[in-house]
Amino acid sequence: MSQLLCSEHVGYQGRQLCVEEVRLSRIAAEFGTPCFVYSRAALTSAFESFDSPFGASAHLICYAVKANSNLAILQLFARLGSGFDIVSGGELARVLKAGADPRRVVFSGVGKRVDEMEFALDAGILCFNVESQSELQRLSQVAHARGVVAPVSIRVNPDVDPKTHPYISTGLKNNKFGVPFEQARALYREASALPGIRISGIDCHIGSQITEIPPFLDALEKVLGLVDSLHADGIELDHLDLGGGLGIRYRDESPPAPNAYIGALLEALAGRSQRILLEPGRALVGNAGLLLTRVEYLKHGTERNFAVVDAAMNDLMRPALYEAWHDIVPVQQQADGERVERYEIVGPVCESGDFLGHDRDLSLAPGSLLAVMSAGAYGMAMSSNYNTRPRAAEVLIDGAQAHLIRRRETIEELLGGDNLLP
Ligand code: LLP
């Protein structure tokens, strides 16, 4: 490819934007727009970039399903040997359907319901990442009543600033996540005496889209201090779950490469025997996907020009929710001398917050195709049916082949759950 974009598997061949060997113009013609398009090669190499730096050290990469929960993507990771980090019974159902081994599944989240605990106990998951004393007590009762033992880690909140967007930082004292660091040791002691509970590990996750290594090391240092205190209390752990959160490049960020991040963790972990778990989400899928959309209308205003495209905030919420910046590029690269204008790239949803990008210099006409880059993580997974818009199709490219991994929703499906009054 002549010019690479978010991944070495996405770029222009001639003037045509391609994912692997497939032109996106062909995908739009075959499957319509808006459409999420993923590269199998990019997903595979992202997984390997996390898995291989561990070498012979005991570890498990638990892909954070929330980032992108399409069954084909979960299946691909399961086949590569991935474990999974889930946050609901629905995500557990997905990973089981995708063929995952339940003994490679960890269950995070602050609000696990009884039925979700029962489902996960029956499935035989690797570990519950417990986030509060009341959750621990409930899990003990549920497991004991079923005559089984729940493996647990306590998710500790290390009070470390990950220096990311406030909506996606989770490891600060004022966040709802995890058990306050000062209370964790006592809670472990309580856990060690509860029926139906087996202490398996410790867990910590400080936030998302973290673009530097020090916050991870600060959190790890605190966790290791606690591991040593627990050892003094006679509590031994099988694994240390260090969460996810490694950032990706959307624009000009320069996050550490996975091998640099993992190398730094392994250095700090030297001499420890516990298995290491990581829960990456975004870094495995974010730059392996894009959102393909078509320009419906151009509106040339007095102050601003608008390009109204057929994708909207319901398809990709990140710009509206976090003011996130995603690159937006033409599917057919402009020729020299074509007139470029500055546009607001907006969707059809009736909200002023419905934008995909501000101030983008592009040469557009109605019908032009655009690719919103780095949309593989928290794109489709956070989409909604707002404005009764059917959710987009999803296509996975594998070499020269295009697999439809989720068909576009129909309006009938959207209306199907509602009931009219008698
Ligand atoms: N583990 C836990 C317990 C988490 O809460 C998360 C993400 C992850 C792992 C994966 O984090 P990652 O590696 O993807 O950073 N919707 C937001 C991101 C929310 C992240 C929530 N938790 C966004 O679009 O930026």
Side-chain angles (χ1 to χ4, degrees):
M1 296 192 201
S2 57
Q3 188 197 333
L4 300 178
L5 294 162
C6 59
S7 140
E8 61 178 300
H9 304 286
V10 182
Y12 289 98
Q13 297 181 13
R15 288 173 55 205
Q16 291 293 324
L17 186 59
C18 296
V19 172
E20 300 189 25
E21 293 159 40
V22 178
R23 289 180 173 197
L24 286 170
S25 53
R26 179 191 134 194
I27 299 302
E30 200 169 327
F31 302 104
T33 53
C35 177
F36 285 93
V37 186
Y38 310 108
S39 157
R40 179 180 186 156
L43 293 165
T44 304
S45 76
F47 180 79
E48 262 140 30
S49 73
F50 272 82
D51 202 43
S52 63
F54 280 97
S57 313
H59 71 284
L60 183 64
I61 305 302
C62 293
Y63 166 61
V65 173
K66 63 171 79 72
N68 187 319
S69 54
N70 183 283
L71 289 182
I73 289 177
L74 301 179
Q75 178 192 37
L76 177 66
F77 286 138
R79 285 181 180 168
L80 293 170
S82 187
F84 297 93
D85 168 50
I86 58 163
V87 290
S88 69
E91 287 190 351
L92 178 55
R94 281 186 177 273
V95 298
L96 295 177
K97 188 156 183 193
D101 179 350
R103 289 165 306 175
R104 290 172 169 251
V105 173
V106 297
F107 192 171
S108 303
V110 292
K112 301 176 194 76
R113 293 192 313 252
V114 168
D115 63 295
E116 292 177 314
M117 289 176 170
E118 291 172 341
F119 182 20
L121 285 168
D122 293 351
I125 65 165
L126 174 64
C127 193
F128 289 83
N129 291 338
V130 168
E131 303 221 14
S132 62
Q133 183 186 37
S134 38
E135 181 191 335
L136 179 70
Q137 291 167 349
R138 177 189 279 183
L139 182 60
S140 165
Q141 284 162 11
V142 172
H144 189 57
R146 272 180 129 63
V148 295
V149 173
V152 305
S153 283
I154 290 178
R155 175 171 175 184
V156 298
N157 183 333
D159 191 28
V160 164
D161 185 355
K163 306 199 179 74
T164 184
H165 191 286
Y167 285 10
I168 52 177
S169 74
T170 49
L172 281 167
K173 264 189 183 156
N174 59 3
N175 292 132
K176 69 177 174 181
F177 299 98
V179 172
F181 200 77
E182 306 69 39
Q183 297 170 16
R185 191 172 177 182
L187 195 58
Y188 268 101
R189 273 196 230 116
E190 180 180 340
S192 67
L194 281 175
I197 296 291
R198 178 175 66 79
I199 293 170
S200 165
I202 190 165
D203 172 44
C204 136
H205 168 84
I206 56 172
S208 197
Q209 185 55 14
I210 299 167
T211 54
E212 47 186 277
I213 293 178
F216 291 112
L217 293 180
D218 293 348
L220 178 56
E221 194 184 313
K222 293 189 97 171
V223 167
L224 291 179
L226 189 53
V227 171
D228 293 339
S229 311
L230 295 175
H231 174 74
D233 295 344
I235 297 174
E236 303 301 341
L237 307 175
D238 305 330
H239 72 253
L240 315 181
D241 181 341
L242 307 179
L246 185 65
I248 61 170
R249 173 181 291 215
Y250 286 97
R251 187 175 195 173
D252 50 9
E253 306 88 338
S254 45
N259 68 349
Y261 153 73
I262 292 167
L265 296 179
L266 290 178
E267 202 179 305
L269 286 161
R272 309 257 169 188
S273 59
Q274 291 94 349
R275 174 151 81 144
I276 304 306
L277 271 53
L278 292 180
E279 303 171 352
R282 187 192 318 267
L284 292 186
V285 293
N287 275 332
L290 55 83
L291 173 59
L292 182 61
T293 182
R294 193 181 285 283
V295 175
E296 294 281 357
Y297 302 102
L298 296 179
K299 284 174 76 166
H300 293 270
T302 49
E303 305 270 304
R304 284 172 144 182
N305 301 319
F306 294 92
V308 183
V309 300
D310 63 4
M313 64 187 287
N314 74 296
D315 300 300
L316 183 65
M317 250 181 109
R318 304 193 70 258
L321 192 57
Y322 314 115
E323 292 182 334
W325 191 94
H326 287 256
D327 201 6
I328 302 179
V329 302
V331 165
Q332 164 133 0
Q333 214 170 23
Q334 78 211 34
D336 289 340
E338 259 183 82
R339 198 169 115 96
V340 167
E341 285 183 279
R342 183 154 293 185
Y343 289 100
E344 291 289 297
I345 311 293
V346 300
V349 163
C350 301
E351 301 237 10
S352 295
D354 179 28
F355 67 91
L356 297 175
H358 298 303
D359 295 333
R360 303 305 170 93
D361 294 331
L362 292 160
S363 170
L364 298 176
S368 300
L369 289 168
L370 292 171
V372 184
M373 308 307 282
S374 311
Y378 306 109
M380 185 65 176
M382 291 175 74
S383 66
S384 79
N385 295 121
Y386 189 40
N387 281 208
T388 307
R389 287 171 49 84
R391 269 178 299 175
E394 292 178 288
V395 172
L396 182 83
I397 305 298
D398 183 7
Q401 276 183 303
H403 301 283
L404 181 64
I405 58 169
R406 185 180 160 96
R407 59 171 172 72
R408 187 176 307 288
E409 278 176 340
T410 63
I411 292 182
E412 297 70 61
E413 285 173 299
L414 265 52
L415 306 191
D418 293 18
N419 294 319
L420 291 169
L421 293 171

